[in-house]
């Protein structure tokens, strides 16, 4: 037995909801099995929430918002609690990463990196609200105006299963930093690490009712859907598939809710012949195989200039074959197990489709020695045509499509030729080309000669089917606050008088 088959010691007996400061079961007692991705055996039960559970959680969050003290506390006081949260997350980083890796199949070293990032998210938003400056505008002698930022109310946070804890922190940090109260609906495939939030928040001194969590499914009648349709939840921050985003958009429409949507991607990595080839190969390997390829910003389409195409494909395939597939718990593992058998089947079906559409140059099957669980070899297809499904559709696994191009114009056309627009990566030593390409590429984010590293101050979001709105830095503060303009008469404002006589 290894630690990838035995749950970490701190795994609770059962995963419950957390409402108004208490762990509770579903009102109807419903539960579901959570699977270990290495064996696909159920290892724990989780409460499956529905409308009644969401109603209880929203009532708790609304009372905490209406009755305070959280929304009216000084930013400095809230920041102190956020910093404590960051300290606790940091101090429990190893335990947290072990749970995350066990539950999601992420390699342990990468799960540790995600845990550190989660702590950083709280610290960052603590700093930001203390340093927050509100706009003020003056018309000399006539009028002064200032912007009154206010928390909005109960924020509904709906998250996916890839890097679950980090993505939850990415929403929880700014939502509570700005004085809102929240109901979190974690992804049903990976509810384990979220079960740590209540203890962390209680220890940090977050007032009761500010954080609530309902586990379970997203579809109609279940927890996610009920949260979106609850009239007392004016804000929904969602990360997940583009198709789910469309459903949520429609379901939130009757209330005109505030929506932030971080959705799917099929991001291009464009490698020109003048690029530093070593750096480009290393970065594009990491870009699609890290996090098991379950990364929204994965550079899953690599476009390579014709003159270096054969050399690139050869080097890329050779390096992909050396990527270490292993158990999630092993420090040397680079790619581990996909999250769930349903997702595994989906990724494998794309591998089979790819074999009929393009040239397989690495991987394409189950790795030797891993007869059970959701393991897949890092898989590389070359000569992929733009109308191929593996070029157009998000696979969300360790599978990459490589396509040649012969001019800058063709590279741009190919880069923009999908419905998505999340990220783009450009590799060239020609700065002018790099900047011009960034201007023209249809993506929310561009990395030039760079791996996917992100400064927390920068806006994060996608265009086209990859998202709606931005979070990150001040954009998160904007999303989670109302901006009320206050106009002050300084004595000489033009005031037309109607009906004087
Ligand atoms: P998903 O859309 O299936 O589920 C995401 C969450 O939405 C889950 O908690 C689910 O229960 C819930 N949900 C499902 N249907 C719902 C409904 N009708 N109403 C309310 N909630 C509902 O996505 P997933 O499979 O968990 O995650 C993978 C996807 O997430 C990929 O497409 C990936 O690109 C995307 N993603 C995007 C980003 C980003 O920042 N752009 C980051 C991470 C993941």
């Amino acid at each position: 037995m290894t630690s990838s088959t035995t749950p970490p010691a701190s795994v609770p007996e059962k995963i419950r909801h957390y409402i108004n400061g208490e762990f509770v079961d579903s009102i109807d007692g419903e539960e579901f099995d959570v699977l270990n991705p290495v064996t696909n055996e159920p290892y724990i039960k989780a409460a499956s929430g529905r409308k009644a559970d969401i109603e209880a959680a929203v009532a708790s969050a609304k009372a905490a918002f209406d009755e305070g003290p959280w929304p009216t506390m000084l930013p400095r006081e809230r920041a102190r609690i956020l910093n404590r949260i960051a300290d606790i997350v940091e101090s429990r980083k190893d335990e947290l990463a072990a749970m995350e890796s066990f539950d999601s199949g992420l390699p342990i070293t990468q799960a540790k990196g995600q845990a550190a990032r989660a702590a950083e998210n709280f610290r960052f938003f603590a700093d930001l609200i203390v340093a927050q400056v509100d706009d003020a505008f003056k018309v000399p002698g006539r009028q002064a105006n200032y912007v009154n930022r206010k928390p909005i109310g109960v924020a509904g946070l709906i998250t996916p299963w890839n890097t679950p804890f980090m993505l939850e922190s990415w929403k929880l940090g700014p939502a509570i930093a700005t004085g809102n109260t929240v109901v979190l609906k974690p992804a049903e495939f990976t509810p384990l690490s979220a079960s740590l939030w209540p203890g962390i928040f209680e220890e940090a001194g977050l007032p009761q009712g500010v954080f609530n969590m309902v586990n379970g499914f997203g579809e109609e009648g279940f927890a996610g859907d009920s949260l979106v349709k609850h009239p007392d939840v004016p804000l929904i921050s969602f990360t997940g598939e583009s198709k789910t985003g469309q459903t949520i958009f429609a379901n939130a429409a009757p209330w005109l809710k505030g929506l932030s949507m971080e959705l799917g991607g099929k991001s291009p990595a464009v490698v020109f012949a003048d690029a530093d080839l070593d750096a480009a190969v290393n970065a594009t390997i990491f870009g699609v195989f890290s996090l098991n390829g379950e990364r929204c910003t994965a550079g899953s389409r690599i476009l390579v200039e014709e003159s270096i195409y054969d050399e690139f494909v050869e080097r890329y395939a050779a390096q992909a074959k050396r990527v270490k597939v292993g158990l999630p718990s092993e420090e040397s593992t680079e790619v581990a197990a996909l999250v769930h058998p349903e997702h595994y089947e989906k990724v494998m079906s794309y591998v089979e489709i790819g074999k009929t559409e393009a040239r397989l140059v690495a991987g394409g099957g189950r790795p030797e020695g891993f007869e059970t669980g959701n393991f897949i070899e890092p898989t590389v297809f070359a000569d992929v045509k733009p109308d191929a499904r593996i070029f157009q559709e998000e696979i969300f696994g360790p599978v990459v499509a490589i396509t040649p191009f012969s001019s800058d114009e063709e590279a741009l056309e190919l880069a923009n030729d999908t419905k998505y627009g999340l990220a783009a990566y450009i590799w060239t030593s020609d700065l002018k080309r790099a900047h011009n390409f960034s201007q023209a590429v249809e993506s929310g984010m561009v990395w030039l000669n760079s791996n996917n590293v992100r400064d927390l101050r920068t806006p994060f979001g996608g265009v086209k089917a990859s998202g709606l709105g931005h979070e990150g830095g001040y954009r998160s503060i904007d999303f989670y606050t109302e901006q009320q303009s206050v106009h002050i008469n300084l004595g000489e404002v033009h005031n037309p008088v109607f009906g004087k006589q």
Side-chain angles (χ1 to χ4, degrees):
M1 294 277 265
T2 74
S3 53
S4 282
T5 49
T6 312
S10 50
V11 166
E13 175 208 340
K14 194 190 330 179
I15 291 168
R16 295 186 160 90
H17 312 309
Y18 181 76
I19 299 174
N20 201 22
E22 280 184 48
F23 281 105
V24 291
D25 290 323
S26 287
I27 290 169
D28 63 7
E30 222 179 296
E31 294 176 346
F32 65 97
D33 284 327
V34 184
L35 308 185
N36 170 357
V38 167
T39 60
N40 286 328
E41 296 291 332
Y43 76 94
I44 196 167
K45 294 250 182 229
S48 173
R50 287 188 179 256
K51 193 173 174 200
D53 307 291
I54 287 290
E55 278 173 352
V58 173
S60 156
K62 187 165 171 4
F65 187 81
D66 292 345
E67 291 155 28
W70 190 249
T72 52
M73 271 166 79
L74 292 176
R76 169 76 67 199
E77 291 172 348
R78 285 203 298 264
R80 235 174 245 137
I81 292 180
L82 262 79
N83 276 320
R84 261 185 243 140
I85 294 170
D87 290 342
I88 298 165
V89 169
E90 239 156 39
S91 70
R92 297 178 69 175
K93 184 166 95 262
D94 289 344
E95 171 199 4
L96 211 161
M99 282 169 99
E100 190 81 306
S101 168
F102 185 85
D103 194 36
S104 69
L106 280 182
I108 184 69
T109 50
Q110 297 170 37
K112 282 182 190 166
Q114 296 296 318
R117 185 69 163 192
E120 199 48 37
N121 279 334
F122 282 96
R123 228 180 271 300
F124 172 78
F125 285 108
D127 289 347
L128 212 58
I129 48 156
V130 171
Q132 172 76 43
V133 177
D134 284 332
D135 289 333
F137 311 89
K138 201 159 79 178
V139 185
R142 288 190 168 193
Q143 199 184 29
N145 312 275
Y146 67 91
V147 176
N148 190 17
R149 265 183 200 274
K150 303 195 276 191
I152 296 176
V154 180
L157 313 179
I158 303 177
T159 48
W161 45 258
N162 69 318
T163 64
F165 194 81
M166 193 285 288
L167 282 172
E168 289 152 13
S169 75
W170 166 246
K171 296 182 190 300
L172 286 165
I176 63 173
T178 44
N180 299 285
T181 59
V182 303
V183 176
L184 170 69
K185 207 301 277 173
E188 58 271 33
F189 285 174
T190 54
L192 182 59
S193 54
S195 68
L196 291 178
W197 286 123
I200 293 169
F201 290 147
E202 281 176 20
E203 190 182 335
L206 190 72
Q208 185 174 320
V210 173
F211 169 79
N212 303 272
M213 173 170 74
V214 177
N215 281 291
F217 299 92
E219 290 76 7
E220 188 160 4
F222 289 94
D225 173 72
S226 308
L227 184 56
V228 170
K229 292 177 179 165
H230 198 297
D232 291 336
V233 179
L235 278 186
I236 298 289
S237 174
F238 169 74
T239 301
E241 284 185 26
S242 302
K243 218 168 167 344
T244 315
Q246 289 173 328
T247 306
I248 291 178
F249 193 90
N251 288 343
W255 294 272
L256 298 170
K257 296 189 179 205
L259 293 176
S260 169
M261 302 245 171
E262 305 196 339
L263 309 176
K266 189 77 186 179
S267 301
V270 185
V271 184
F272 289 95
D274 61 359
D276 173 342
L277 209 54
D278 286 340
V281 171
N282 285 333
T284 51
I285 288 268
F286 180 82
V288 76
F289 298 131
S290 55
L291 306 181
N292 297 338
E294 299 162 328
R295 181 196 275 281
C296 56
T297 50
S300 51
R301 289 183 298 141
I302 308 183
L303 312 176
V304 184
E305 192 158 9
E306 228 165 28
S307 58
I308 55 160
Y309 183 75
D310 290 340
E311 184 190 351
F312 184 93
V313 170
E314 196 180 312
R315 287 179 59 173
Y316 196 91
Q319 192 156 330
K321 286 176 191 162
R322 294 197 297 271
V323 169
K324 172 95 169 62
V325 179
L327 290 172
S329 57
E330 284 175 3
E331 294 275 332
S332 60
T333 295
E334 292 171 322
V335 168
L338 301 190
V339 67
H340 192 273
E342 245 173 58
H343 183 60
Y344 182 73
E345 290 310 320
K346 178 188 145 187
V347 174
M348 278 305 204
S349 75
Y350 275 107
V351 171
E352 293 312 312
I353 291 168
K355 288 176 184 170
T356 67
E357 291 182 325
R359 178 164 62 100
L360 180 70
V361 292
R366 190 177 264 289
E368 231 173 88
F370 294 91
E371 275 67 42
T372 58
N374 309 318
F375 293 92
I376 170 173
E377 291 174 312
T379 297
V380 184
F381 289 103
D383 310 345
V384 181
K385 300 270 184 304
D387 60 353
R389 286 186 62 192
I390 60 164
F391 186 96
Q392 293 291 335
E393 297 173 23
E394 184 182 46
I395 300 174
F396 217 54
V399 181
V400 66
I402 311 184
T403 303
F405 68 83
S406 56
S407 66
D408 288 33
E409 293 71 30
E410 193 192 3
L412 182 64
E413 205 174 299
L414 288 170
N416 290 342
D417 188 21
T418 73
K419 67 176 182 177
Y420 295 107
L422 191 56
Y425 305 84
I426 300 164
W427 292 89
T428 176
S429 55
D430 179 342
L431 266 185
K432 211 189 267 179
R433 167 195 269 160
H435 288 299
N436 288 334
F437 202 95
S438 322
Q439 293 286 317
V441 75
E442 293 166 356
S443 71
M445 294 163 284
V446 182
W447 278 270
L448 301 181
N449 297 321
S450 166
N451 237 323
N452 179 338
V453 281
R454 222 190 117 246
D455 181 325
L456 287 175
R457 292 169 298 181
T458 58
F460 184 98
V463 299
K464 294 158 72 179
S466 288
L468 184 73
H470 286 89
E471 293 194 46
Y474 287 115
R475 272 64 172 193
S476 296
I477 304 289
D478 283 347
F479 176 70
Y480 289 107
T481 53
E482 207 65 78
Q483 297 182 50
Q484 178 188 47
S485 294
V486 180
H487 307 271
I488 308 155
N489 184 351
L490 294 181
E492 288 182 32
V493 174
H494 174 61
N495 269 335
V497 179
F498 277 22
K500 200 171 178 186
Q501 284 152 0

